[in-house]
Every structure is written in structure tokens, then in C-alpha cells.
Amino acid sequence: MRFIVTSLLFFAVSGSLFSQSYSIRGRAVSESDNVPLRSANVVLFQLPDSSSRGMVTDANGRFEFSGVKPGSYVVRVSYIGFATINREITVRREDVMLGRIALKEDDIRLGEVEVTGKAPAAVIKDDTLEYDARAYKISRDASAENLVEKMPGITVESGTVKSQGEEVRKVMVDNREFFGDDARAVLRNIPAEVIEKIQVYDRQSEQSRFTGFSDGNETKTINLITREFMRNATFGKLYGGAGENELYRAGGIMNFFNGDQRISLLAMTNNVNEQNFSIDDLLGVMGGSSRGGAMRTMMSRLGGLAGGMRPPGGFGGFGGGLGDFMVTASNGIATTHAFGINYMDKWSENVEATASYFFNYSNSDARNAVLREYVLTGQSGQLYDELEVAESTNMNHRMNLRVEWSIDSLNSLLYTPRLSAQANDGNSMTSAATQFAGMGLNNGFSSFSSDLTGMSVRNELLYRRRFETRGRTFSLRVSNDLSNNDGNNALLSRYETFGQGASLDSLDQRGKLDKRGFTIGADAQYTEPVADKMQVLVRYENSWNDNFSDKKTYNLDTFSGLYDILDPLISNEFASNYFTQQAGAGLRYEDADFRINVDAAWQTASLRSEQQYPYTSTLDRTFTTIMPRAMMRWKLSSSSEWHLFYRTRTSSPSVDQLQDVVDNSNPLQLSIGNPGLDQSYTHFIGTRFSTTHAESGGYLFTFFSASATDDYVGSSSFLARSDTTIYGVPMLRGAQLTRPVNLSGNYSVRSFITYGRPVSWLKSNLNLNLMGSYSRMPSMINEQMNYAYQPMLGVGVVLASNISEDFDFTLSSQTNVNWVENSLRADADQRYINQTTRFRLNWIFLGGLVFTSDLAHNKYSGLAEGYNDEVLLWNLSFGYKFLADDQAELKLTVFDVLKQNQNILRNVTETYIEDTRSNVLQRYALLTFSYTIRSFGPRR
């Protein structure tokens, strides 16, 4: 708290000092046609020592230097293709207005000589950080993903794109949606050469952008601005390759841009583990999980037909499990066939439409080894060891549509429907054992198969009305969601315990699932100006969520050979509904440099659950909550900004968490729901500061956030020391039963700092990243409270070449140090380190020869015995470009030259620490032919 107060005082004093200084303003335009020159370089030199600072002009060609002391100065304005202008000025005790500064076009044409100039690497424009692609030289064949990885603050980690430490969930092209929410699919399939600018910002909801009041639903977004001459073009790339052991990969993307109409086609097929999954493909994901890739775990998330949906280790929404389930190139081995189409057009002057369709078919083979150590009071050495072989087939369809109708200058409608459908079937075989102090407690073997289908539909309609009075608006949003999951499964298992009272038992079961969910909501907002720079907001919203789940499990009748003995312990019919209402008001103030809005709402929520089988019961709970939120943006100067935001949210337990039914798909790892769960209430506060220096190309960004949750939905785990029964569930000696419970004391903090600047003598860009986090997760273990503390410190550096398109390299290193501490077991505190260093080189020489090398060194330490490995992963290729404009290329690639590829993951929960190892592809070679299509409009 002292840190926050000190920071606020610091910025308040800084703002006071700025307000007492003077400013220099002007506007850069083209002399011939008076067109504003956007992103022109403007440098202010102070005389006589020539100290300087710089910036770039905004979309209207304007610039402003604030905080200028009295004295003599030179203002230099430059723009590529135009003659540079120098203005000598004297600042006395008043602001200086330079007015219109007209630049003449350079008499020397760009096509006749090489024009040199330094584009600013990054600039701040309102709420947006904008990178200039001209400041980053990259191979002509590079993708947008290769380009953004060179930029300060942007990283790609384990298939996830992050900017400023936060996951990028949407990538747009020219401010229009492209392939829905699949951020990485867009970056991988848009060529870098078509991009002029890259913008990073927190995209607010449609309603917030209209009213100007933040509702806390921001999405980290990248917007790719294409070059003007490429907006009427046909471009793309086709490729196909084959290699040893019948390995292959083929595909391509074609873009047809014709002004407002843009059509993109994307296709891929391969058996080398390249996949295009996103969150929308994972229909039916219901909760957290201890790990990903296993068919049993997948089954639990997609419907839990063996009586439950809650594999041990993760309760509370999507926490941790969703990311694990997303299929990536490092999780097992998969064959994938995918196709996508994206369509954008302006149907008339008043109607714009965007649509996309994505299909993905994947067959995966995953082999997982797990070693898990439990946190138990006063004892150590209880280990769980598991080996699993799983195969699954997953087919997904995803469709999105966005239609915006500007009825007239004051009224508009926005309609955004979405549809996802999925079919999944698979099987797995698992062998597991538990031991304590080197002695066996139990072991088990299970065979599990499933056949599932699911569908999800969402519709949202937003009406917006502006009035003649500026700042007076009305908006009404209505939405509904519908989901349906059904299927069946089969489980055959054998398990035994050792020692005194040894036992042997087995299960032979069939299960069925019918699960449905429906949500409908509405949100009305009205804004009214109360002063020149001030607005008030009045709003009301409500939401109704209704869920039903019918899970039935039948045991084998050994006499009849039929599965007709209904098992009441792992069968359940359950319904729940959650109704919320909010009424609130807010105030917003905004001028050129400062914006703040505050809002508070009174919320009532009712949660009703009703169980119909195996016994009837009803629970009703009502919650009353005050929901405040606030957002502030302070433009400290033309190149520096500070943001501060606070928000709250409530979350109801899912139907799976409430359902009092056992998941017994692994008899040694059981889980059960809790009908008595309450909603959770989370506070979140964050601040970020960013500044750029146009002349040096430097960029600094800092971010800090903290969150705390009341009635956190954590886990209560019971590890049986002998055969027993808990919550009516019979347990073997050494087995685990996990149940969700509401707990207090959950909080986390996170920080991220990045600094980037060009290294001129090396013709490269240097980015430095420092990140840290600290979390406390409460849990119950054998009826005792445990707090799991997880500090983390990470340091990263990226050196990206800026030499030429023919010689492109990136050198990066990331080291993460993690600590694991548990209040129940101070003697079991651990520290583990993951360090990755990578060097990528793309070199074109001798008129068409191409050499590419990707060398990555991964080192793990502090993990369980047998998991602390050091891996050197090397991919190498040689190619030759030919035909006109180097459109064709023949390339031989060897993946994992040293045959060291592997996949190791540490997973930390409130009750255990585990290390996993999964199968991956090792050394193989592919011979690939690719053809690039480039047909662009006239360059300007």
C-alpha cells in the first residue's frame, strides 16, 4: 500500500510540474496538396548544448512538445521522400504556436536512389502503442508472427502471443476482425511485407467504445495496418513437402484484397504435429485440470461421462485447465487437416460485414508419464506415478459473423452470432501406483473410451443511438447463449491395495451424458453530458443462466451380460440457475491529456440448485454485492502515458462443481462436486506506464497488477491412509478424493517491465524483459488448511537484427526461477529453474541460396529425478530460390538434428507438485517446394 500511495504522490507532483511549463505546437503537411504527414519525425534541439528529444506526428500531422523551459531551440521536421525543415525558435514565458509547416517533396525520386532514414520503433497515440514496421528489417518470406517477435514487449510463449505480459486474444487487420479470435492463426498467415504499422491496445467492448465508459471487459488486441498499395492485391503462398517415414506437410493461404472486399483462404494438412487450435475449437471445456493431453482428462473436460467432470487439481472456472488442453506441437503427436475462410466486405454505404469459417480435424497420439508428490502434514514421500497411452480424434467447426448497419447518422445496429460444433472420440489406457516412503500402497489399471458431441451458439444484438446533444447516448445490448453436450463412455479398471487389509477389485461400466445450458441477458446504458468535458452514465443489466446435467453410469450384470445396473454413487440428475441484476451509475471526465471514469453498481444474485437423482434436494442462496470499477489515463507528455484501473467481478460455481457425483475414471484419483458452493467475488487493480523516445528509438513499459478473491473456489483433498469412506465414497488406501470448497486468503500479484532500443553499431534492436509474480492459493488437505505460495522471477533478452532482408537473425534468452512453498510442509519447499536460449538465422546469399538455422537450448533443474534434462534442439534447412522475383523455393529441412527433442512440464497445485513428460517427434527430414504469389496494386 505504501508503494501505491508513494507512486500516486509522485505522479501528482510530476503532473503539477508539467502543468507549469510551456509547449511548442505545430502541424506537418505536404506543401503540394496540404495533406497531413502522419508519423513524420519531429526533433527538438536545445541550444547551445544540442540536447534533444523527439516524437512523431499524429494522424492529422500535429505534434506538441510539453514541459519546455525558456530558451533557444531548433525544431527539425523530416519525412521520408520530403526535404527536411529546420525552424529556430525562442521560448519565452508563453506557449509557441508554429502553425502549418509545409514540407516539399524531394526532387530525387525514391526509385532512383536509396533514401535512408530512421523510422521510430514505437510511439504512443492515445491508448495505443504503435510500432512502425519500417523500423524492423526482416526476411521477405517472414510472417507477421516473425515480425512482432522482434518488437519490444511482444513474445510468443508455448503457442501463446503475449504483449506487455498479457495474452493477445484478438488480432485484427485494418481495424476489422480476421479469423475470429484465433490470434496466432492470423499472425502466422499474414506476410510481414504487407504490414505498415502494428498497433497494440486494450480493445474495449462494443458498448464501452460507444459510451466512452469502461466496463472492465478489455481484450489485449493487435491491429495490423496494411500498406496502401497492398489493399488491392492478390497474394499468398502454397507449399508441399514429404520426407522419411511417410511424413508430410502441405497447405497454403491465398488473400484476395479488392478495396473493402477481402477474402482469405487457409488450408493445411500434415502429420508432423502442426495444429491450428484455438479456444473456440475446444467446445465443452468445463473446468480446470491437473494436466493436458490425456484421453481421460479430455473426457472429464468434455462431459465427464464416468460420473463427473472434475479431474483433481483444478476448480474454479477455467483456471489452468484450458491452456493445458489446447493442442500444441509439443503435446503428443498429431495428424491435422484444417481449412478456413475469412470474408470482409462493405455491402453498401451503411452496411459492413465480416464472416469466418474454420474447420479442424485432428488425430492425436499422446503418451504421458507423471510423477506427483503430495503435500501432507508431518510426512513426506507419498508419490503417485502414472503412465498413460491415449489416442483421440477431434473434429471442430467454428463460424463467426459480424454485421454492422449504420441506419443513419444517429442510429446503428450490430449483430454478432457465433456457432461452434465438435465431435470427439478416443480411448486411453492408464497404469498408476501410489507409494509412501518407498513402500507400495496401491496400484491400478484402467481402459477408457468415449464418443462425444457438443454444440455452442451465441447471439448478440447491440442497438446504439446518438442524440443531437453531444455526449447524450443510449445503447441496448441483448444476448443469448445455448450449449448442448451428449455422448457415452466405457470404463474397465482393476485396482488393488497392499499391506494390512489388502484388497483387489474391478469396475466394468458404461456411461451416458446429456448436458444443456442456456443464458440470456440484457444491458441498457444511457449517458448525459453535465459539463463541457464531463458525462454521467446510468445503466441496468440482468442475466439468467440455466444449466441441466443428466449423467448415468451402469455396471455390468455378470449374469445377463448387460450393462443395466444403475450405480447411484456415480449417477446424477442436477439442475442449477443463476440470476443476477445490476443497477449502477458512473461519472466520466476527459480532456486532451487526462481521462477518468468511475462507476459503481448494486448487484443482487440468486443461485438455486436442485438435485433429482439419486436423491432430491434443493438449495437457494441470495447474494448482495457492491460492484465498483474505475479507470484513469493520464497523458504525461506526448510520449508518456500512465494508466490505472480497478474492477470487480463475481463468478458463480459451474454445474459441474455443484453436482454431487463422483468422477471415478481413475479409481486412485477420485473427485466429487459440492452443492453448497457460494459465488466468488474478485477485486483486481492494475497500473501501467509507458514512454517512448522517437529520436533514440527507446521504449519503456511497466505493468503491475494485483487481485484478491473472496470465497475462492479451491479444493479440499483427502488422501486415505487406510481403506475408508468419505462423503459416501469408498476409498482405497493411498487414493485421493478432491472436492471444491469456498476458501479465503487467495491473492496474487504480477509485474512486467520491458525496455527496448536500437543498437546502431550492431544494426539490431535490443529488448530486455523483467517479470515477476507471487500468488497464494488456499486449499484443504486432510481437513487441514494449506497455503501454497508460488513466487516467480523471470529475466529475458532479445537481440533482433535490423541489417537487411537477406540477413535476418534473432537471439533470445529467457530464464524463469520458480519457488514452491507450502504452509503444511515447510521442509518440502522447492526451487526449480527453466532456462531457454534460442538463435534463429535466415540468410539469403549468392543470388538465391537460402540457409536457415534454428538452435534452441533448454535446461531444466530442480525437477524430480529423471526430469532434469538439458536439451539442444536444432532445426536446419538449405534452400534455393528461383523463377521471377524469387517466387519459387525448393528447401530441404532437417528437424531436431541432434535427436534431443522432448516435452517436460512442471505443474504446481495447492495439494501436490508434479512433473510430466510427453512423447514428441524426433529427428526427421522434409523436402518442401513452395510458391509465393505477389500481385500488388501500384505503389504510392
Side-chain angles (χ1 to χ4, degrees), residues 593-896:
D593 299 324
F594 186 79
R595 178 197 306 166
I596 184 170
N597 67 62
V598 293
D599 181 288
W602 179 71
Q603 175 181 287
T604 61
S606 61
L607 176 62
R608 176 183 173 86
S609 59
E610 181 179 349
Q611 182 166 284
Q612 301 166 358
Y613 182 86
Y615 57 88
T616 60
S617 67
T618 301
L619 286 174
D620 284 288
R621 289 177 295 285
T622 301
F623 313 96
T624 301
T625 314
I626 301 298
M627 305 283 292
R629 62 194 182 201
M631 187 278 292
M632 184 199 74
R633 179 184 68 88
W634 190 356
K635 188 175 181 181
L636 302 173
S637 70
S638 59
S639 59
S640 301
E641 278 195 344
W642 178 43
H643 288 246
L644 179 66
F645 43 92
Y646 167 74
R647 65 181 72 108
T648 57
R649 72 169 183 269
T650 59
S651 178
S652 67
S654 68
V655 64
D656 310 303
Q657 295 170 333
L658 294 168
Q659 198 164 8
D660 189 14
V661 62
V662 177
D663 177 356
N664 71 331
S665 52
N666 182 344
L668 305 183
Q669 301 287 304
L670 305 171
S671 60
I672 189 171
N674 181 2
L677 288 175
D678 291 337
Q679 71 171 10
S680 60
Y681 180 51
T682 300
H683 304 262
F684 180 84
I685 187 170
T687 182
R688 54 177 177 257
F689 170 77
S690 55
T691 184
T692 64
H693 192 279
E695 184 63 17
S696 68
Y699 165 67
L700 174 67
F701 175 87
T702 64
F703 174 82
F704 174 84
S705 67
S707 66
T709 301
D710 299 325
D711 288 322
Y712 168 75
V713 180
S715 63
S716 175
S717 298
F718 186 87
L719 284 83
R721 294 186 173 93
S722 60
D723 292 354
T724 186
T725 300
I726 302 294
Y727 303 121
V729 181
M731 293 181 63
L732 302 175
R733 180 180 179 221
Q736 173 186 321
L737 176 66
T738 305
R739 185 173 187 250
V741 291
N742 291 112
L743 299 170
S744 60
N746 170 254
Y747 66 81
S748 65
V749 295
R750 185 168 63 94
S751 64
F752 180 84
I753 302 173
T754 184
Y755 174 74
R757 66 165 299 154
V759 182
S760 56
W761 62 271
L762 197 57
K763 293 187 177 180
S764 301
N765 295 308
L766 178 67
N767 302 323
L768 303 174
N769 301 317
L770 177 65
M771 62 196 73
S773 64
Y774 186 89
S775 65
R776 184 173 82 162
M777 295 186 298
S779 65
M780 298 290 292
I781 303 177
N782 285 2
E783 299 183 344
Q784 289 186 290
M785 178 65 72
N786 178 58
Y787 292 101
Y789 302 91
Q790 296 183 36
M792 188 279 288
L793 179 64
V795 179
V797 58
V798 179
L799 182 66
S801 69
N802 209 12
I803 300 172
S804 72
E805 293 181 352
D806 294 334
F807 190 83
D808 179 28
F809 72 82
T810 302
L811 175 63
S812 63
S813 181
Q814 179 70 39
T815 301
N816 293 331
V817 184
N818 301 266
W819 290 265
V820 180
E821 303 169 0
N822 288 278
S823 60
L824 280 180
R825 283 276 311 281
D827 62 307
D829 293 350
Q830 297 187 28
R831 184 189 70 176
Y832 61 97
I833 301 174
N834 174 223
Q835 198 274 335
T836 301
T837 301
R838 188 173 185 181
F839 179 72
R840 286 177 292 172
L841 171 66
N842 189 74
W843 184 19
I844 303 174
F845 59 99
L846 297 180
L849 294 177
V850 182
F851 172 74
T852 304
S853 177
D854 190 341
L855 187 64
H857 175 264
N858 298 312
K859 184 176 182 179
Y860 309 89
S861 63
L863 306 185
E865 184 178 353
Y867 289 81
N868 292 300
D869 287 337
E870 192 170 351
V871 177
L872 191 61
L873 184 61
W874 189 16
N875 299 329
L876 190 64
S877 70
F878 298 90
Y880 176 66
K881 292 181 177 291
F882 55 99
L883 298 184
D885 201 23
D886 291 338
Q887 289 181 275
E889 181 180 11
L890 188 64
K891 179 170 63 176
L892 176 65
T893 304
V894 181
F895 296 87
D896 189 20

Side-chain angles (χ1 to χ4, degrees), residues 4 104 119 243 296 324 326 336 368 444 450 525 636 654 662 911:
I4 296 174
K104 293 182 180 181
R296 172 177 53 78
D324 294 344
M326 292 176 66
T336 301
N368 303 287
S450 64
Q525 299 188 7
L636 302 173
S654 68
V662 177
T911 55

Side-chain angles (χ1 to χ4, degrees), residues 330-522:
S330 60
N331 187 20
I333 301 172
T335 298
T336 301
H337 313 289
F339 171 77
I341 181 170
N342 194 82
Y343 167 81
M344 295 186 290
D345 201 1
K346 196 169 183 178
W347 290 345
S348 68
E349 286 298 319
N350 299 327
V351 181
E352 291 187 8
T354 301
S356 67
Y357 167 75
F358 185 75
F359 167 81
N360 187 293
Y361 176 90
S362 178
N363 180 270
S364 65
D365 175 18
R367 301 168 188 267
N368 303 287
V370 179
L371 183 59
R372 179 181 301 167
E373 180 178 1
Y374 289 99
V375 178
L376 292 173
T377 309
Q379 65 183 61
S380 62
Q382 178 154 329
L383 303 176
Y384 172 78
D385 195 354
E386 177 184 288
L387 293 174
E388 182 180 51
V389 177
E391 183 178 355
S392 66
T393 300
N394 205 54
M395 182 169 61
N396 302 273
H397 301 268
R398 184 177 78 242
M399 288 168 279
N400 299 286
L401 177 64
R402 185 182 191 276
V403 179
E404 186 169 10
W405 177 26
S406 298
I407 303 172
D408 52 38
S409 60
L410 300 177
N411 298 275
S412 66
L413 274 177
L414 177 63
Y415 177 50
T416 52
R418 307 182 68 172
L419 170 66
S420 296
Q422 179 187 53
N424 178 282
D425 64 80
N427 58 78
S428 68
M429 290 184 293
T430 303
S431 61
T434 306
Q435 60 175 306
F436 174 67
M439 299 182 62
L441 296 178
N442 57 45
N443 67 28
F445 174 83
S446 63
S447 175
F448 186 80
S449 62
S450 64
D451 184 6
L452 303 165
T453 59
M455 181 185 69
S456 174
V457 180
R458 175 176 176 81
N459 288 282
E460 183 174 299
L461 183 66
L462 174 62
Y463 168 72
R464 295 167 293 191
R465 161 78 179 180
R466 296 187 187 276
F467 294 87
E468 297 292 344
T469 301
R470 183 179 179 183
R472 181 181 296 167
T473 68
F474 173 76
S475 60
L476 174 63
R477 178 183 62 89
V478 293
S479 64
N480 77 287
D481 293 85
L482 176 66
S483 64
N484 185 63
N485 296 269
D486 59 70
N488 54 72
N489 81 301
L491 172 66
L492 178 64
S493 66
R494 177 194 60 80
Y495 47 94
E496 60 181 322
T497 61
F498 308 109
Q500 187 176 3
S503 63
L504 176 66
D505 206 347
S506 63
L507 291 172
D508 192 353
Q509 299 175 335
R510 296 291 187 270
K512 294 183 178 181
L513 168 74
D514 178 16
K515 182 177 180 180
R516 301 184 297 273
F518 178 76
T519 302
I520 187 169

